[in-house]
Amino acid sequence: MGLKDQLNQDMKEAMKAKESERLGTIRQLRGAIKNKEIELQRELDDPSILAVIGTLVKQRREAAQMYRDNDRPELADKE
């Protein structure tokens, strides 16, 4: 099972379990993958998807750190 299939399955599970935070995260990830596919004009393979995930994780960590530096712990926790 590829990563895209796993994300689709996880999204369905999150919907059924009504886990809104998890569902939002998966949707954001799927959107980023789709945008990258449009940009490259090809379907992404698993290593490319992992690269996209790594980029998003790095962005979230940097955003959380910026919130902490600016005394916004509630936003940092959300990230």
Side-chain angles (χ1 to χ4, degrees):
M1 176 183 292
L3 287 175
K4 286 175 79 172
D5 295 332
Q6 183 65 43
L7 283 172
N8 287 333
Q9 183 178 349
D10 290 346
M11 186 174 78
K12 289 176 188 175
E13 291 172 6
M15 281 184 201
K16 288 178 184 176
K18 297 184 178 167
E19 298 172 333
S20 61
E21 190 171 321
R22 180 177 174 213
L23 180 60
T25 301
I26 293 170
R27 284 182 171 160
Q28 181 183 24
L29 179 55
R30 289 183 66 220
I33 292 168
K34 186 67 174 172
N35 287 340
K36 192 65 166 178
E37 287 178 339
I38 291 169
E39 177 186 326
L40 299 175
Q41 298 180 350
R42 66 176 173 87
E43 188 120 351
L44 295 180
D45 55 358
D46 285 354
S48 299
I49 291 173
L50 287 175
V52 171
I53 292 170
T55 300
L56 291 175
V57 168
K58 182 179 177 187
Q59 288 174 351
R60 300 281 68 88
R61 285 184 181 150
E62 289 174 355
Q65 186 59 47
M66 286 178 58
Y67 288 136
R68 282 188 202 94
D69 292 345
N70 291 311
D71 295 327
R72 298 296 305 264
E74 68 283 356
L75 294 175
D77 292 341
K78 186 176 179 184
E79 286 294 326

